[in-house]
Amino acid sequence: PGAPRCGASLHELNKALRIELNANASCTWQIQRNANQTIRLIFSYFKFAPSSSCETESITVYDGPSANSPLLGQVCNSTDAVPVLESSSDSLTFLVTTNSVDFTRNFFVFYYFFSPESKPENCGGQLAGPNGTFSSPNYPAPYPAFTYCVWYIQTPKNSKINLQFQDFFLELDKNCQLDFTAVYNGLTTTTGLIGKVCGRAQPTFESSSNVMTVVLATDSSSSYRGFSAQYSSVPLPAPVEPDTFLTCSSDSMKIVLSKSYLASLGYNEAHLQLIDPSCRPVVTDLVTFSFPLASCGTIKKEEGHSITYTNIISLSSTGNIITRQKNTEVIAKCKMENNSTLEVFYVTRNNVIQNITAMGRYNVSMAFYNSDSFSEPIHQSPYYVDLNQTLFAQVSLQSTDPNLLVFVDTCTASPQPDFASPTYDLIRSGCNKDDTVVTYPPLEHHGRFKFNAFRFLRSFPSVYLQCDIVICDSNNSNSRCTKGCVPRHKRAISPYTWKTNTAVGPIRLKRDLRSAEHSESLPTADAEETPNLQQYNFYTFAFVVLISNILIVVAVILKCHNHQAGYSYQKLRSS
């Protein structure tokens, strides 16, 4: 395998590249082919200049045909994994930059186009329980070329995993660059590498917790029988309550240290300070720093599709107190990730905590408003509307960081609350798909748009709305939040920082509300009609009786009058 010294445009279905670079290099490789497939890119070996940082020397991978495409990932000297990156389309770009140190860097990378749905049997999966077995595809027959399998192993809580390969035969090369198995701590393939192995062996690995990930990656050169492995759980000692912990929210960081822990190091709370020393802790039995994300000297940094907030607690000895540790620092980092679990990671040295990292999430919500002033939210649910009524929707980010932008990337309507089919696109990739949609420019922590009650409401009793939201650093003028509509065939867009989704509903037509109210009122109306009818019949009967009595009286009077008139007539004739 080989490649031009500095960058290339590659169109083969698969290729292996052995790259050698010196100082001050900036080289771009573009992979593109009209294959209607995606690309898997594997950096199976990389050697950067010693002590280089990600800021000065790295491999940056983009999901598209240029370095303006969305960021897929970064590889640098501190990468604790065998990086495997997959594109979302048939193009991918990676850029290698080196610093000024005089050193020969070496990289081995191979790629291939593949269809995600075509996967060999027994290739990866979820393994649970106290023990189990698994093997490579086709074992003991040779494994397929261009195979990538991931097994996620999880044993009961308070245990660790012992993994033994009873039979292991992969292609052998010096750095396990071609076919290899990689084993990781945790349910991830991006950090926590325990080891990488190839050739003929019977390796054994042990995790530090009850979760482990095993990867098999192969190229096309040679295939052997693969492996057969078994795992078992080993009980862990009872957990010890941490002396220091960190919690992260959409608004704030909270760092807590116990007085006993500080005393064991020879410190007290008077020795503690953040980057901004004016931010002071609350002291009880615990020492608690609680402050907004973007305050107290906190440093914000974009890292791929996450954003981190870092502050440092300095523990410096002062006065006449004799300490065993001097000028110790505790680095506290909040990492905001959409799909993260609320985990806390500690790094210790000589029983002193050096780093704490906690996962957090931004709080995002969506609501309807009664006008384009977006001052009065609609609180009723369901939200009853007229057909073709203009609806005003706002997505809001609740965060104390003022330097964030909210962008509405995609909005989909569905009659199902789980957004199963059928669906109807209002917005897709920032582009209006419904003629009535109007989007407003991003405004700090709000993304806004309006649309008319759509034809879905004619066919379904209820409609729900779900939007994909992108959150970017407002100081980045080239972020996704500033690009607006980007059609699907133009994927060369700038990366976003953080992405999530939010939903609202149901929306219903007012005519359905009126029908419901009418149907609900019918039993009451029927019940009231019975006494009214009886009352009407009673008065009618009384009226008839009254008229009858009047007629009788009139008839009697007339009879008497006629009789008197006849008597007078007879008397007149006789005279």
Side-chain angles (χ1 to χ4, degrees):
R5 175 178 171 79
C6 187
S9 182
L10 307 171
H11 307 287
E12 295 90 341
L13 271 173
N14 60 82
K15 192 173 182 66
L17 308 173
R18 198 181 302 276
I19 301 171
E20 184 177 296
L21 295 174
N22 292 315
N24 300 316
S26 180
C27 308
T28 301
W29 280 264
Q30 182 202 57
I31 306 167
Q32 190 165 18
R33 182 185 179 94
N34 293 327
N36 197 27
Q37 291 180 307
T38 54
I39 304 166
R40 182 173 286 131
L41 181 70
I42 302 178
F43 293 92
S44 55
Y45 179 76
F46 51 91
K47 189 171 185 179
F48 292 93
S51 303
S52 63
S53 67
C54 295
E55 287 75 18
T56 62
E57 188 161 294
S58 67
I59 304 170
T60 313
V61 185
Y62 300 94
D63 188 13
S66 75
N68 291 323
S69 302
L71 179 68
L72 263 184
Q74 187 181 48
V75 185
C76 49
N77 198 42
S78 61
T79 299
D80 186 21
V82 184
V84 179
L85 300 109
E86 296 180 0
S87 69
S88 61
S89 65
D90 56 7
S91 62
L92 187 148
T93 303
F94 67 93
L95 168 67
V96 185
T97 56
T98 64
N99 61 24
S100 59
V101 175
D102 185 15
F103 182 82
T104 302
R105 289 86 169 162
N106 286 285
F107 312 98
F108 188 89
V109 54
F110 65 92
Y111 76 85
Y112 53 89
F113 285 82
F114 74 104
S115 299
E117 62 274 7
S118 60
K119 191 175 183 181
E121 292 185 8
N122 302 319
C123 180
Q126 309 280 342
L127 303 172
N131 51 70
T133 62
F134 62 101
S135 59
S136 56
N138 299 342
Y139 179 85
Y143 46 78
F146 298 125
T147 295
Y148 183 70
C149 307
V150 183
W151 289 269
Y152 298 99
I153 306 172
Q154 186 162 7
T155 58
K157 290 183 178 180
N158 300 321
S159 69
K160 58 184 178 180
I161 300 170
N162 180 271
L163 175 67
Q164 293 183 331
F165 288 91
Q166 299 153 309
D167 185 24
F168 191 94
F169 191 3
L170 270 61
E171 182 177 6
L172 176 63
D173 70 277
K174 181 180 178 182
N175 295 309
C176 294
Q177 299 172 148
L178 307 175
D179 299 345
F180 62 87
T181 292
V183 181
Y184 296 87
N185 257 321
L187 299 177
T188 178
T189 60
T190 59
T191 189
L193 180 67
I194 302 174
K196 183 175 73 165
V197 64
C198 60
R200 298 195 67 172
Q202 285 187 313
T204 299
F205 298 95
E206 190 170 84
S207 68
S208 60
S209 70
N210 68 320
V211 285
M212 173 187 278
T213 301
V214 180
V215 170
L216 170 66
T218 71
D219 68 355
S220 62
S221 55
S222 301
S223 291
Y224 298 90
R225 67 173 177 264
F227 64 77
S228 173
Q230 69 174 17
Y231 70 90
S232 58
S233 59
V234 179
L236 283 172
V240 178
E241 192 70 24
D243 296 295
T244 305
F245 61 89
L246 167 68
T247 55
C248 304
S249 72
S250 186
D251 295 316
S252 64
M253 295 176 67
K254 184 178 180 181
I255 313 166
V256 179
L257 302 93
S258 71
K259 278 185 168 182
S260 59
Y261 171 67
L262 293 172
S264 71
L265 302 177
Y267 295 107
N268 63 41
E269 60 273 13
H271 301 146
L272 306 184
Q273 66 178 38
L274 295 174
I275 294 176
D276 180 353
S278 66
C279 295
R280 302 305 303 159
V282 173
V283 180
T284 56
D285 290 339
L286 301 171
V287 180
T288 304
F289 289 94
S290 184
F291 50 94
L293 284 179
S295 67
C296 296
T298 302
I299 301 167
K300 182 173 69 173
K301 183 180 177 183
E302 295 181 18
E303 295 183 352
H305 294 332
S306 66
I307 189 165
T308 61
Y309 298 87
T310 303
N311 212 310
I312 300 172
I313 299 179
S314 299
L315 299 88
S316 56
S317 57
T318 57
N320 297 321
I321 298 177
I322 299 174
T323 65
R324 295 190 299 276
Q325 309 284 341
K326 294 190 177 181
N327 301 320
T328 301
E329 291 183 342
V330 177
I331 300 173
K333 179 185 290 187
C334 284
K335 189 171 186 178
M336 311 301 279
E337 287 190 341
N338 180 31
N339 296 319
S340 66
T341 55
L342 300 179
E343 296 179 291
V344 181
F345 302 95
Y346 297 87
V347 177
T348 62
R349 182 178 297 163
N350 298 325
N351 294 321
V352 179
I353 295 174
Q354 305 287 310
N355 290 273
I356 322 171
T357 300
M359 302 301 179
R361 300 172 188 165
Y362 290 119
N363 291 334
V364 177
S365 61
M366 181 163 58
F368 289 112
Y369 285 76
N370 65 353
S371 71
D372 59 4
S373 67
F374 294 97
S375 58
E376 296 183 21
I378 304 296
H379 296 294
Q380 70 184 69
S381 181
Y383 179 24
Y384 285 95
V385 302
D386 291 317
L387 195 62
N388 295 323
Q389 175 182 331
T390 300
L391 308 185
F392 301 91
Q394 175 176 281
V395 176
S396 300
L397 165 67
Q398 290 78 45
S399 177
T400 54
D401 183 350
N403 298 315
L404 294 174
L405 279 180
V406 174
F407 177 71
V408 180
D409 180 79
T410 296
C411 281
T412 303
S414 174
Q416 306 295 332
D418 59 358
F419 291 88
S421 61
T423 59
Y424 178 74
D425 280 353
L426 289 172
I427 304 170
R428 174 68 59 182
S429 300
C431 304
N432 298 342
K433 295 299 182 181
D434 183 277
D435 294 339
T436 68
V437 172
V438 176
T439 55
Y440 297 82
L443 176 66
E444 297 178 344
H445 289 178
H446 304 295
R448 295 168 170 175
F449 62 99
K450 66 179 180 179
F451 61 97
N452 286 0
F454 37 89
R455 61 174 181 261
F456 248 47
L457 284 168
R458 290 188 182 132
S459 305
F460 299 98
S462 297
V463 172
Y464 298 82
L465 187 65
Q466 177 175 270
C467 294
D468 291 340
I469 308 304
V470 175
I471 298 174
C472 308
D473 189 337
S474 60
N475 295 319
N476 183 356
S477 60
N478 198 39
S479 72
R480 175 68 185 97
C481 295
T482 64
K483 297 300 181 183
C485 171
V486 179
R488 187 172 181 82
H489 64 279
K490 294 183 179 179
R491 298 187 59 88
I493 59 174
S494 298
Y496 57 82
T497 296
W498 198 84
K499 192 171 186 179
T500 188
N501 59 59
T502 183
V504 69
I507 310 167
R508 294 178 182 168
L509 282 179
K510 284 183 180 177
R511 70 184 183 195
D512 298 331
L513 175 62
R514 289 191 289 268
S515 298
E517 289 176 343
H518 177 66
S519 62
E520 288 172 1
S521 66
L522 280 177
T524 304
D526 291 343
E528 291 173 352
E529 277 183 7
T530 303
N532 289 344
L533 181 60
Q534 291 172 348
Q535 190 177 33
Y536 169 78
N537 290 338
F538 170 78
Y539 286 124
T540 302
F541 174 75
F543 179 74
V544 170
V545 170
L546 177 62
I547 295 298
S548 300
N549 289 337
I550 292 173
L551 290 174
I552 291 171
V553 171
V554 170
V556 170
I557 292 172
L558 288 175
K559 186 176 181 180
C560 292
H561 176 73
N562 290 338
H563 178 74
Q564 183 65 37
Y567 172 79
S568 299
Y569 176 72
Q570 291 291 338
K571 185 176 180 182
L572 182 61
R573 283 188 64 187
S574 63
S575 61

